[in-house]
């Protein structure tokens, strides 16, 4: 996002390439994971459910980001992102600790 709002062309292109790579890797990995978790006869429904969850999550994330940007500015989005990432890390750490 920081590169997208710059004045120079190279950082904008670099940011787009990095975003494209990360989205491509994430979507490919998650779709393979869905296939690994489901039986072949329920795979279509599983992909549909995955797509619905992804779409709702994207909608919710866009709504939160837009509301934060309009009311508090871009700094609020960065703070919210940091809070969510820290909370996710703590939850992941707890999950891994319980398994080990």
């Amino acid at each position: 996002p920081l590169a997208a709002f710059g004045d120079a062309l190279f950082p904008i292109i670099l940011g787009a390439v990095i975003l494209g790579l990360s989205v491509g890797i994430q979507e490919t990995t998650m779709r393979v994971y869905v296939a690994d978790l489901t039986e072949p006869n329920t795979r279509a429904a599983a992909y549909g459910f995955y797509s619905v969850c992804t779409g709702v999550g994207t909608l919710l994330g866009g709504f939160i980001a837009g509301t934060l940007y309009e009311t508090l500015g871009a700094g609020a989005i960065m703070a919210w992102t940091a809070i969510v990432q820290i909370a996710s890390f703590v939850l992941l750490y707890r999950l891994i600790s319980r398994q080990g």
Side-chain angles (χ1 to χ4, degrees):
L2 297 176
F5 298 109
D7 292 335
L9 182 61
F10 180 74
I12 293 171
I13 292 172
L14 182 63
V17 168
I18 292 171
L19 177 64
L21 286 171
S22 65
V23 169
I25 291 168
Q26 178 181 347
E27 287 195 10
T28 301
T29 304
M30 292 307 297
R31 291 182 193 281
V32 168
Y33 191 61
V34 169
D36 286 347
L37 289 175
T38 57
E39 297 294 324
N41 59 339
T42 61
R43 202 163 284 155
Y47 279 124
F49 183 71
Y50 169 75
S51 294
V52 167
C53 291
T54 302
V56 170
T58 301
L59 177 67
L60 183 60
F63 175 77
I64 291 170
T67 302
L68 287 173
Y69 186 77
E70 285 183 358
T71 57
L72 301 172
I77 297 173
M78 289 185 277
W80 172 255
T81 302
I83 290 167
V84 170
Q85 291 297 317
I86 291 168
S88 298
F89 178 74
V90 169
L91 291 173
L92 179 64
Y93 178 76
R94 285 185 176 179
L95 180 66
I96 292 171
S97 296
R98 287 184 187 172
Q99 292 178 356

